[in-house]
Amino acid sequence: MLSTNMKNETDIRQVLWQLAFQFKVSTKRAVRDYDLPLNGMHVRLLQMIHRHPDCTAQQIAGVTGRDKAQITRVIKELEGMALITRTPDPEDRRAQLLSLNDKGQGLMARIQDAEDEVKKTLLKGINKKDQNTFIEIGNRMLDNLRD
Amino acid sequence: MLSTNMKNETDIRQVLWQLAFQFKVSTKRAVRDYDLPLNGMHVRLLQMIHRHPDCTAQQIAGVTGRDKAQITRVIKELEGMALITRTPDPEDRRAQLLSLNDKGQGLMARIQDAEDEVKKTLLKGINKKDQNTFIEIGNRMLDNLRD
DNA sequence: TCATATTGGTTGACAACATCAACTAGTGAA
DNA sequence: TTCACTAGTTGATGTTGTCAACCAATATGA
């Protein structure tokens, strides 16, 4: 049967490609199961802002590697949903500092629950040491790709 | 600076998300640099069919986890570009067996070159043992996600 | 063997994400 | 003050993912 044939094509590209896809699918499902009115990018940016209060759109674009146009749009949607606030940067009137408001903070807790569930599934039966190894090697690959 | 702050948020989700994104970007660039008139999905499916001649759309959908609608469309495009041929499965008149034709075979060599370059970049400075460890752990995660 | 469920594939509609270029407004340096 | 540059916005357009309806062939089972 084909599926058994394919199992041992353990090319690293296949692993990355599949892992990315399956991870995205799982996350999306978790978010939906928790009745969060968000899509993947919303979640990503909320987490970003949560972790780095008063960051700017530009910084997010830089770190994630996404196009700034896309960041702008997602931020606008998040603001439209009253989850974040934008305040002009006093030191640079072009920039705006992003932060979660109360509603956004509230959502974060539920987002964490959903994501923790995915993480739990993902890492089932994989010990801490292997997890760290994986992350460490993954980061080296990332450094390579980013030049 | 923010970028240095963010470097040590080595959450596994961040790594997966970023790795997926950067990998996609690199692959896309490589494909473009090699002047291949293809997008990511084209490449993926061509490789699939190359590795598993006479597979069906359904099998590809199953293995990759993608929606069959999407598979259908990409296959139609590949056929439109005269890279693959579809022949009805003699044992099941609903199904069609997919295979690369000469032109498709010809492209495969150049696709391999492009992808090998990405792979070389990706794995620079990472020894075989670590590569295998990464793949092995990645596969375990995949099994977890796929239930 | 005839109704029924299932499967392989197709199509349409649409949401999510990416990309590129043009533009405004503020900043910084010569 | 001029000029290059940066933060952010907008529009257009392409790619990928998702869902539901549908057709034809097949398998099931009463």
Side-chain angles (χ1 to χ4, degrees):
Chain A
M1 199 56 247
L2 197 54
S3 60
T4 51
N5 269 355
M6 290 191 174
K7 216 165 193 175
N8 47 4
E9 46 166 306
T10 44
D11 185 279
I12 195 154
R13 290 166 301 183
Q14 248 66 24
V15 173
L16 284 181
W17 195 261
Q18 281 300 93
L19 208 44
F21 178 73
Q22 298 295 345
F23 179 67
K24 198 156 60 171
V25 167
S26 295
T27 303
K28 186 175 290 185
R29 188 167 43 218
V31 168
R32 207 188 41 209
D33 287 351
Y34 276 71
D35 269 324
L36 307 177
L38 306 167
N39 62 35
M41 268 297 142
H42 292 146
V43 171
R44 241 10 82 174
L45 286 215
L46 284 177
Q47 288 177 324
M48 235 21 198
I49 298 170
H50 174 64
R51 245 188 293 251
H52 307 282
D54 292 340
C55 61
T56 68
Q58 202 56 219
Q59 291 169 326
I60 292 180
V63 173
T64 61
R66 258 79 181 180
D67 193 275
K68 58 183 181 167
Q70 197 189 349
I71 305 293
T72 295
R73 283 185 255 267
V74 177
I75 285 177
K76 212 161 45 167
E77 284 172 18
L78 291 175
E79 200 188 22
M81 294 186 245
L83 296 173
I84 66 173
T85 56
R86 290 195 271 194
T87 57
D89 184 341
E91 294 173 4
D92 184 343
R93 263 175 299 166
R94 290 169 304 178
Q96 313 172 357
L97 306 181
L98 305 173
S99 56
L100 297 185
N101 60 22
D102 289 351
K103 188 174 169 195
Q105 295 281 0
L107 250 190
M108 269 310 296
R110 298 179 46 219
I111 291 175
Q112 282 307 339
D113 288 347
E115 294 251 311
D116 284 351
E117 200 147 308
V118 174
K119 204 166 155 181
K120 208 178 101 197
T121 304
L122 180 76
L123 298 176
K124 190 163 48 188
I126 301 178
N127 65 44
K128 261 281 178 289
K129 183 171 147 291
D130 282 355
Q131 292 178 26
N132 288 331
T133 305
F134 186 89
I135 290 175
E136 193 264 328
I137 300 175
N139 272 322
R140 274 196 278 156
M141 291 183 185
L142 268 178
D143 287 342
N144 284 339
L145 287 180
R146 288 194 280 238
D147 303 322
Chain B
M1 197 56 241
L2 197 55
S3 59
T4 51
N5 267 356
M6 292 191 170
K7 217 164 192 177
N8 47 5
E9 46 165 308
T10 44
D11 185 280
I12 195 154
R13 290 166 300 184
Q14 247 68 23
V15 173
L16 284 181
W17 194 262
Q18 282 299 90
L19 211 42
F21 180 75
Q22 297 295 346
F23 180 67
K24 198 157 59 171
V25 168
S26 296
T27 303
K28 187 175 289 185
R29 187 167 44 218
V31 167
R32 206 187 42 208
D33 287 351
Y34 277 74
D35 270 323
L36 305 176
L38 306 168
N39 62 35
M41 266 297 142
H42 292 145
V43 171
R44 239 12 80 174
L45 286 215
L46 284 177
Q47 288 176 324
M48 242 8 207
I49 298 170
H50 174 65
R51 244 188 295 251
H52 308 281
D54 292 341
C55 61
T56 68
Q58 201 56 218
Q59 290 169 325
I60 293 180
V63 172
T64 61
R66 258 82 180 174
D67 193 278
K68 58 183 181 166
Q70 196 186 353
I71 305 293
T72 295
R73 283 185 254 266
V74 176
I75 286 177
K76 212 161 47 168
E77 284 172 20
L78 291 175
E79 200 188 22
M81 294 187 246
L83 297 174
I84 66 173
T85 56
R86 291 195 271 194
T87 57
D89 184 342
E91 292 173 3
D92 184 342
R93 264 174 298 167
R94 289 169 303 179
Q96 314 172 357
L97 305 181
L98 305 172
S99 56
L100 297 184
N101 61 21
D102 289 350
K103 189 174 167 196
Q105 295 281 1
L107 249 191
M108 270 310 295
R110 296 178 48 220
I111 289 174
Q112 283 307 340
D113 288 347
E115 294 253 311
D116 284 351
E117 199 147 310
V118 174
K119 203 165 154 181
K120 208 178 101 199
T121 304
L122 180 75
L123 298 177
K124 191 163 48 187
I126 301 178
N127 65 44
K128 261 279 179 292
K129 184 171 146 291
D130 282 354
Q131 292 178 26
N132 289 332
T133 304
F134 186 89
I135 290 175
E136 192 263 329
I137 300 175
N139 273 322
R140 275 196 278 155
M141 291 182 185
L142 268 178
D143 288 342
N144 284 339
L145 287 181
R146 287 193 283 237
D147 305 321

